[in-house]
Amino acid sequence: HVQLVESGGGSVQAGGSLRLSCAASGYTYSRYFMGWFRQAPGKEREGVAAIASDGSTRYADSVKGRFTISKDSAKNTLYLQMNSLKPEDTAMYYCAARPYWVRQYNDWGQGTQVTVS
């Protein structure tokens, strides 16, 4: 059974930083993708950043240069370092995972709220 648990959300002023963590348990695939998504009230969920098991990364244009996704395989933890935060970054942030052969993310965490004022 796969479990993803996010933490690290909170309230911060514009220009500040937060680091989100996602602790993964029960994930046994050696080739996979993990990602961060966010959903603001009244808006569709959007992909923020993703990282593959080989370490390659990709980012949404809106966060390039400000956010960094990383993983610590020894700790089974995914991170999202968020710098230069803007009010438009306010959203519920979710981590997700999928084996490389699955097209859609199929394991999700419960989310952590980020509020930028």
Side-chain angles (χ1 to χ4, degrees), residues 30-34 49-59 68-73 78:
S30 59
R31 296 177 66 187
Y32 57 84
F33 293 93
M34 296 191 76
I51 188 167
S53 48
D54 65 1
S56 57
T57 59
R58 60 187 303 174
Y59 296 90
T68 302
I69 189 171
S70 63
K71 62 183 176 71
D72 185 331
S73 297
L78 178 72

Side-chain angles (χ1 to χ4, degrees), residues 6-60:
E6 302 96 334
S7 61
S11 297
V12 65
Q13 291 188 336
S17 299
L18 284 173
R19 188 176 80 157
L20 305 183
S21 299
C22 174
S25 60
Y27 210 75
T28 60
Y29 301 108
S30 59
R31 296 177 66 187
Y32 57 84
F33 293 93
M34 296 191 76
W36 289 97
F37 294 76
R38 66 187 181 187
Q39 187 167 21
K43 294 187 177 181
E44 292 187 355
R45 186 176 62 198
E46 63 173 346
V48 175
I51 188 167
S53 48
D54 65 1
S56 57
T57 59
R58 60 187 303 174
Y59 296 90

